[in-house]
Amino acid sequence: MAEIVLKNISKVYENGFQAVKNVNLEIKPKEFIIFVGPSGCGKSTTLRMIAGLEEITSGELWIGDVLANFLEPRERELSMVFQNYALYPNMSVYKNIAFSLEIRGVGKAETDRKVREVADLLGLSQVLDRRPKDLSGGQRQRVAIGNAIIRNPEILLMDEPLSNLDAKLRGQMRVELAKLHKKLGNTIIYVTHDQTEAMTLGTRIVVMNQGEIQQVDSPNRLYENPVNQFVAGFIGSPAMNFLECTIDHEDKSVDLHIGQDTISCNDTIAAWIRQTISETKVIAGIRPEAFLDEYRKNKQHREELTEKQKLYVTVTHRELLGNEVILYFDLCGKGCCMKASVENETKAGDTIPVWVDVAKICLFDRDNGKNLFYEKRKLEGNEN
Ligand SMILES: Nc1ncnc2c1ncn2[C@@H]1O[C@H](COP(=O)(O)OP(=O)(O)OP(=O)(O)O)[C@@H](O)[C@H]1O
Ligand SMILES: [Mg+2]
């Protein structure tokens, strides 16, 4: 099975707009790799260049040991599923799935065996005789996927394949896609806006912004150790809170001043600050779950968090999300939010103590947004 390598790939459209800038990426066989990023950042363009539907302006695309820049799409051993998948309205589900084999001259018996196999895999066996208009959105989507996988392509490209589905169907299809990947063992390159899809399906996630790759990492590492403020803010929901912060390098302790509040660092973070940070003004990044209310602090037995990590916040809004609560509050004039325990009955207007889980804090350079702890945490991650 082939590795896919993008070497310094760029795309400049005819109007002179550069949609993709020097993208370097190695995709291993059998990976489920996900492209995420804001609208217009170049995800589809990159995927279409891999598919051969868009000319590569500069750089090299390798599929295995073949330079693929000038291969026709059909010579690339891949299939693609688009956001707006097109089914043939006058053909049955069976025909829609069988189509790509028939045009390649595969025999009737072989085609029939494969269509039934794929239909079984995708839960479409009962609807093979129907026309697309007589299917649900999720079933139609699965027909499009069936059409793409029937040739058992080594590489499957999917551009927001679930975006037309409602939340429940998306959830079901997500699970089905994960199973499908396990079963087929092919390489999947997948574009999505959806955080949950990215975090649950991907073996690795590629985060893009303005045509450039920001970070490529496993979902976990991306979340725990984002390379910069952009990635930190993009991955995670609700998003990480960013606050202006002044570092106070005292003799023994290292303190962070956030507005009127002061938080003492633990030994590890204090050491990291001493070793890597010379500036005093930085941006602190605190995830919604890195603020602990007293219920969660007690539940997690976080005795190490003391008065020195405590601050008081006045809640402006409370949101109950089934098994957890999101509390909104202002800190130094900025809207922040935290995840709280369902037992927490705080209402808007109440002032409550919260503890900052300092071990999880990120500090970013104010000028270039770089995560100043990135190398430290990377090292720590490798040691564990
Ligand atoms: N044919 C074209 N000519 C000029 N610019 C284009 C063309 N196609 C796309 N673009 C621009 O290139 C940039 C990247 O587009 P692309 O479709 O790759 O974004 P995307 O990340 O897939 O966004 P979305 O999440 O909205 O689908 C956008 O700014 C888009 O306007
Ligand atoms: Mg797109």
Side-chain angles (χ1 to χ4, degrees), residues 46-58:
T46 307
L47 205 69
R48 291 170 58 80
M49 285 194 286
I50 297 172
L53 301 173
E54 203 67 72
E55 198 180 304
I56 296 169
T57 310
S58 63

Side-chain angles (χ1 to χ4, degrees), residues 13-15 17 19 37-46 160 191 193:
Y13 280 109
E14 273 177 13
N15 63 359
F17 181 76
S39 183
C41 71
K43 304 179 295 291
S44 296
T45 305
T46 307
E160 311 215 24
V191 169
H193 271 110

Side-chain angles (χ1 to χ4, degrees), residues 44-221:
S44 296
T45 305
T46 307
L47 205 69
R48 291 170 58 80
M49 285 194 286
I50 297 172
L53 301 173
E54 203 67 72
E55 198 180 304
I56 296 169
T57 310
S58 63
E60 294 174 2
L61 171 70
W62 291 84
I63 301 179
D65 47 15
V66 179
L67 180 64
N69 286 47
F70 303 106
L71 290 185
E72 290 294 322
R74 62 186 155 71
E75 297 170 320
R76 298 187 186 199
E77 279 307 313
L78 46 80
S79 290
M80 186 149 175
V81 184
F82 298 97
Q83 175 177 356
N84 296 307
Y85 45 90
L87 300 178
Y88 296 96
N90 297 323
M91 286 198 225
S92 65
V93 168
Y94 185 102
K95 282 276 179 195
N96 265 287
I97 296 177
F99 186 70
S100 63
L101 290 185
E102 284 176 353
I103 57 167
R104 281 173 178 80
V106 177
K108 258 211 161 95
E110 169 85 354
T111 300
D112 188 64
R113 190 180 60 76
K114 287 202 164 150
V115 170
R116 291 188 191 280
E117 195 181 301
V118 166
D120 187 41
L121 186 67
L122 294 170
L124 293 169
S125 302
Q126 308 304 318
V127 297
L128 284 172
D129 297 332
R130 290 197 203 164
R131 297 280 159 92
K133 70 172 173 46
D134 300 325
L135 299 175
S136 74
Q139 288 170 327
R140 265 180 240 148
Q141 187 75 69
R142 279 179 274 163
V143 176
I145 293 172
N147 172 282
I149 64 174
I150 193 160
R151 286 185 293 125
N152 202 9
E154 283 195 10
I155 305 162
L156 192 55
L157 307 180
M158 303 179 122
D159 194 347
E160 311 215 24
L162 309 185
S163 55
N164 291 339
L165 307 182
D166 67 34
K168 188 163 172 232
L169 263 178
R170 281 180 89 114
Q172 288 171 1
M173 283 302 294
R174 203 170 64 225
V175 175
E176 284 177 37
L177 276 176
K179 284 192 202 152
L180 198 69
H181 177 241
K182 247 194 193 143
K183 201 154 181 177
L184 299 178
N186 48 9
T187 308
I188 301 185
I189 310 177
Y190 190 100
V191 169
T192 183
H193 271 110
D194 187 305
Q195 290 252 349
T196 319
E197 273 171 36
M199 297 300 275
T200 54
L201 286 174
T203 46
R204 285 194 303 161
I205 299 177
V206 181
V207 184
M208 290 187 77
N209 189 28
Q210 298 185 343
E212 288 178 307
I213 291 185
Q214 303 289 309
Q215 186 170 2
V216 185
D217 236 322
S218 68
N220 227 2
R221 285 183 184 224

Side-chain angles (χ1 to χ4, degrees), residues 229 238-244 258 283-288 291 311 313-317 326-339:
Q229 207 180 331
M240 185 184 269
N241 300 290
F242 297 115
L243 296 159
E244 299 262 345
I258 296 175
I283 305 284
I286 304 173
R287 292 234 181 250
F291 284 114
L311 41 93
V313 301
T314 301
V315 171
T316 54
H317 183 64
I326 311 288
L327 297 178
Y328 295 82
F329 53 90
D330 288 336
L331 261 187
C332 358
K334 270 205 73 180
C336 293
C337 72
M338 66 180 282
K339 290 188 179 168

